[in-house]
Amino acid sequence: MSHVLLLLQARSRSIETQLAEATTALHEMKAKHSQLEARNQLLEKVARLNNTHSSPSDRTLLWQGDPAWSEQAHTKGSQGLSLTFTLWDQDCVVTVDELSKLPLPKMAKLYTAFVQKLAVCLLEVDGDPNSPMVEQMNNWTAEATCFAVAVALYNPEAFRTFGQLRLDVGSVLPERMSDEAYKELLPKMEYTEAQVQDLLHLRRLYYGKLGQLYRQRKELRSQVPLACMGEVEGICATDNYTLLSSLAEKLRVNAAEEYSVFLQSFCAIFRGVQTSRQRGINMVHAYPYVAHKDRVVGVLAEQHGEPSINTLLSDTSKSDLQHAADWQQVTAYLDSISMANMHMHQPLLRWR
């Protein structure tokens, strides 16, 4: 009997030991499972953050391009948006990220290749409006402006510097396209009266909107010294931090909107109002420089006795809310631009 009891006790101890070991193993498994869950959640959050901040344009700009841009910029696997250029015997596919990071001499070389092709197109098309080169000209001018939009959206600093290049040497030089050169370029564009009125209307809206943003920025800046100089009575460090952080974010949004408005006006002119032939003329005759939209339209405005830039910027005959609302005409206009109609003049005034 005692032998049986001893066996039972031994078995009980063995079961207790196994149960304790199983419990310990279960706790360890739960702990590992929790760690894995936490790691997976962290990885998912990192992935979401990476997707959210995948491009500079997502972080800085309020406008992400017209519908034609969405048609031109296609997704290539996991490499993100890509563009296709047809300048050579074989199509060249390049990611927007790679394109926007090209060294300036290579950007200049690409732009020059477009100019060379378009110069040939213009000779053919001017001699024969029904030439098959018309379609080629439409494609190449669309690709050239798409190249510009890609750099502007993804690398604003490079876009700014590119506009200062002397393209035949691929570097920034002190010399610029002269006022006389702009005056000589304008008649070559052969704008119709409808295009002239669109450009002048866009100019009024553009500087009216910029004036509204400048006044908003001035108001925001006027609030900064009160906080950072301790001129707000009884303010504590936490309040100072909160106020300055809020002002910094508002100033960032203001600057982002200003750049977006600039880019929208660029697209409205070169991808909406102008025809593909006029884009080609602009690029070829301005070479080795890039003709700036504000100076081209500025010459036009001067010839038509339009108000000065300063007058438009300081226009308070309309409320700032109205200036902002007026700019929505341009936003709606840009939404109508597609690859199907980009080679033609798209009237802007109909959106008024």
Side-chain angles (χ1 to χ4, degrees), residues 262-312:
F262 163 80
L263 185 53
Q264 286 174 317
S265 69
F266 173 90
C267 290
I269 293 173
F270 294 114
R271 290 163 70 84
V273 176
Q274 287 185 351
T275 64
S276 58
R277 179 176 175 274
Q278 288 166 332
R279 289 177 209 123
I281 290 170
N282 184 303
M283 293 173 64
V284 170
H285 286 281
Y287 192 85
Y289 304 103
V290 176
H292 288 239
K293 66 176 182 65
D294 295 340
R295 293 186 67 187
V296 173
V297 179
V299 173
L300 196 63
E302 185 179 345
Q303 292 179 356
H304 285 77
E306 285 288 301
S308 68
I309 292 175
N310 286 336
T311 299
L312 293 174

Side-chain angles (χ1 to χ4, degrees), residues 15 25 45 69 91 103 120 141 146 193 220 226 233 278 287 305:
I15 292 173
K45 182 166 288 189
W69 160 258
D91 291 354
V120 175
T141 54
C146 190
E193 182 58 28
L220 289 170
L226 299 176
E233 187 176 349
Q278 288 166 332
Y287 192 85

Side-chain angles (χ1 to χ4, degrees), residues 138-153:
N138 294 343
N139 291 337
W140 284 334
T141 54
E143 289 175 15
T145 58
C146 190
F147 159 46
V149 172
V151 177
L153 282 172

Side-chain angles (χ1 to χ4, degrees), residues 19 35 90 110 115 126 158 163-164 166 198 216 234 262 266 291-292 313 322 335:
L19 182 60
Q35 291 174 353
Q90 291 187 333
L110 176 58
V115 170
D126 287 347
Q164 301 172 354
R166 175 158 173 140
D198 276 350
Q216 182 187 64
F262 163 80
F266 173 90
H292 288 239
L313 286 173
Q322 186 60 54
D335 286 341

Side-chain angles (χ1 to χ4, degrees), residues 29 31 66 71 306 328 335 338 344:
M29 288 177 63
D66 53 45
E71 293 178 64
E306 285 288 301
Q328 292 307 307
D335 286 341
S338 67
M344 303 178 290

Side-chain angles (χ1 to χ4, degrees), residues 157-348:
E157 178 59 26
F159 185 72
R160 182 190 68 81
T161 308
F162 182 79
Q164 301 172 354
L165 287 181
R166 175 158 173 140
L167 296 158
D168 54 348
V169 296
S171 61
V172 177
L173 297 177
E175 58 189 275
R176 295 286 182 271
M177 189 170 168
S178 67
D179 292 341
E180 191 60 34
Y182 277 100
K183 290 177 182 177
E184 292 174 358
L185 174 63
L186 194 58
K188 293 183 175 71
M189 302 299 292
E190 298 180 353
Y191 288 129
T192 65
E193 182 58 28
Q195 286 178 306
V196 169
Q197 294 307 313
D198 276 350
L199 290 170
L200 296 178
H201 178 59
L202 177 63
R203 178 178 179 269
R204 290 190 290 269
L205 295 180
Y206 176 63
Y207 288 115
K209 174 63 178 175
L210 287 187
Q212 174 247 314
L213 290 172
Y214 293 167
R215 287 186 290 276
Q216 182 187 64
R217 187 181 307 164
K218 185 178 180 180
E219 171 61 25
L220 289 170
R221 289 176 61 189
S222 71
Q223 299 175 39
V224 174
L226 299 176
C228 68
M229 299 303 292
E231 295 177 21
V232 177
E233 187 176 349
I235 195 167
C236 67
T238 304
D239 293 335
N240 223 355
Y241 174 78
T242 302
L243 177 57
L244 286 174
S245 297
S246 174
L247 288 173
E249 175 59 18
K250 289 175 181 177
L251 284 167
R252 188 200 67 79
V253 171
N254 177 280
E257 187 174 2
E258 179 189 357
Y259 185 73
S260 293
V261 166
F262 163 80
L263 185 53
Q264 286 174 317
S265 69
F266 173 90
C267 290
I269 293 173
F270 294 114
R271 290 163 70 84
V273 176
Q274 287 185 351
T275 64
S276 58
R277 179 176 175 274
Q278 288 166 332
R279 289 177 209 123
I281 290 170
N282 184 303
M283 293 173 64
V284 170
H285 286 281
Y287 192 85
Y289 304 103
V290 176
H292 288 239
K293 66 176 182 65
D294 295 340
R295 293 186 67 187
V296 173
V297 179
V299 173
L300 196 63
E302 185 179 345
Q303 292 179 356
H304 285 77
E306 285 288 301
S308 68
I309 292 175
N310 286 336
T311 299
L312 293 174
L313 286 173
S314 58
D315 178 20
T316 54
S317 64
K318 296 179 181 178
S319 68
D320 283 348
L321 189 62
Q322 186 60 54
H323 282 300
D326 286 348
W327 188 252
Q328 292 307 307
Q329 295 175 35
V330 181
T331 302
Y333 170 71
L334 289 167
D335 286 341
S336 72
I337 296 174
S338 67
M339 288 297 295
N341 61 27
M342 218 175 94
H343 60 286
M344 303 178 290
H345 166 221
Q346 297 304 306
L348 170 63

